[in-house]
Amino acid sequence: MSMKRYSSAAMSSLLSLQTPAKKKMMVNRPMENKKACDVFISHRGIDTKRTIATLLYDHLSWLNLQPFLDNKNMKPGDKLFTNIDDTIRNCKIGVTVFSPNYCKSHFCLHELALFIESKKKIIPIFCDIKPSQLGVVNNGTVPWKDVERFKLALEEAKHTVGLIFDSSKGNLSDLVTNASKIVIESLIEMESEQRIFNNTPVTHVYDDFRRNKYYYITHMVLECCRELVDSVHGWCCSGHRMTRHGASRG
């Protein structure tokens, strides 16, 4: 059973999403409008680019959101710091995929610090590392002012509830699904709060929230039904084989 995607018509009024036509052209091309970035994915490439980061990017894109991942949205010739800094300042949410080598990267820590300084909501994913293990790795090349920035940002991240993932026994599909759910719910809440702040009628906010919540719940129910059908089918097939086997022995 194929899963139902979110309706771009329903989501656009709430999350300012792309239309389906634009979405098809989005993957593997630089983002033309950085202000439209919904989610910036901060990660350490050698640890998680081929797994969590890319899978999460693809899943969020499939859901009609506009995530940012460096190798997906940047092209040769782009100014690295300029593009990343502008995108973080204009994004709505940051997903930080902490991994064993994350804190060894000046780029990663700079991104995290910029999230905090820009007062962005961050959703941490702790992959093969505990929050208590996060710390600045300074080999003497990091300027003192940056060390202080990075320490403050890491302390903030340590005390932010996130997702824990053990790559040796965890399910990547479940992690990506849960992270995407949190991203969507966070975007809906942020937009609802913004509408209240702008004196938008509260009833409209709740109507939009319930409508989009319904789409997500429908999506999850369909997934559960698919898994249930697969389980029942497997059980029935297994029972059928046992019956035939028993008959042959008799």
Side-chain angles (χ1 to χ4, degrees):
M1 178 183 298
S2 61
M3 294 182 292
K4 181 178 179 180
R5 302 190 188 191
Y6 290 90
S7 166
S8 58
M11 294 291 280
S12 60
S13 62
L14 197 58
L15 304 179
S16 302
L17 306 178
Q18 288 186 323
T19 61
K22 290 183 179 180
K23 175 184 148 326
K24 294 178 180 178
M25 301 171 60
M26 182 180 67
V27 182
N28 291 325
R29 60 175 262 178
M31 186 169 55
E32 295 176 356
N33 183 5
K34 296 183 179 61
K35 292 184 179 180
C37 175
D38 293 310
V39 189
F40 186 102
I41 303 173
S42 175
H43 68 292
R44 186 67 197 271
I46 59 175
D47 290 336
T48 57
K49 185 181 293 294
R50 295 183 179 181
T51 54
I52 298 175
T54 297
L55 289 173
L56 181 59
Y57 174 90
D58 290 341
H59 193 66
L60 292 173
S61 299
W62 186 84
L63 291 172
N64 241 9
L65 297 179
Q66 186 161 353
F68 181 95
L69 190 63
D70 52 8
N71 66 313
K72 297 282 189 177
N73 298 93
M74 296 182 66
K75 64 182 187 299
D78 284 347
K79 299 293 184 180
L80 187 60
F81 273 111
T82 301
N83 277 269
I84 287 179
D85 289 5
D86 288 346
T87 305
I88 289 177
R89 291 191 180 99
N90 290 304
C91 75
K92 297 174 182 177
I93 290 176
V95 173
T96 52
V97 186
F98 293 108
S99 57
N101 290 297
Y102 185 96
C103 293
K104 297 178 183 179
S105 168
H106 183 276
F107 287 104
C108 292
L109 293 177
H110 171 73
E111 291 168 1
L112 176 64
L114 197 54
F115 282 137
I116 303 302
E117 293 162 359
S118 302
K119 301 187 184 302
K120 302 295 181 180
K121 178 175 182 176
I122 62 170
I123 300 171
I125 298 176
F126 301 99
C127 176
D128 298 329
I129 193 170
K130 299 177 180 178
S132 59
Q133 295 176 305
L134 298 178
V136 179
V137 179
N138 185 11
N139 56 8
T141 61
V142 183
W144 178 250
K145 63 177 182 179
D146 284 340
V147 171
E148 291 302 306
R149 289 178 62 230
F150 298 163
K151 285 183 178 179
L152 290 173
L154 285 172
E155 283 301 311
E156 184 79 15
K158 286 180 183 179
H159 295 91
T160 302
V161 178
L163 296 171
I164 307 295
F165 183 72
D166 183 344
S167 62
S168 65
K169 56 184 179 182
N171 187 307
L172 270 174
S173 178
D174 291 343
L175 174 66
V176 170
T177 299
N178 291 335
S180 299
K181 175 183 175 182
I182 295 171
V183 166
I184 291 172
E185 291 179 345
S186 298
L187 289 170
I188 291 174
E189 291 172 6
M190 290 171 61
E191 187 67 20
S192 299
E193 291 172 359
Q194 185 62 40
R195 289 191 178 192
I196 293 174
F197 180 79
N198 292 333
N199 293 320
T200 302
V202 177
T203 54
H204 292 174
V205 175
Y206 289 148
D207 286 343
D208 284 342
F209 182 83
R210 285 195 297 267
R211 185 182 303 114
N212 287 276
K213 193 74 171 177
Y214 168 77
Y215 285 121
Y216 192 82
I217 291 174
T218 301
H219 168 80
M220 297 304 294
V221 169
L222 289 174
E223 264 294 273
C224 291
C225 290
R226 182 186 64 79
E227 293 177 1
L228 179 60
V229 170
D230 290 344
S231 299
V232 172
H233 180 265
W235 178 79
C236 291
C237 291
S238 176
H240 180 61
R241 286 194 297 269
M242 289 177 64
T243 301
R244 293 181 59 187
H245 181 66
S248 63
R249 291 181 61 188

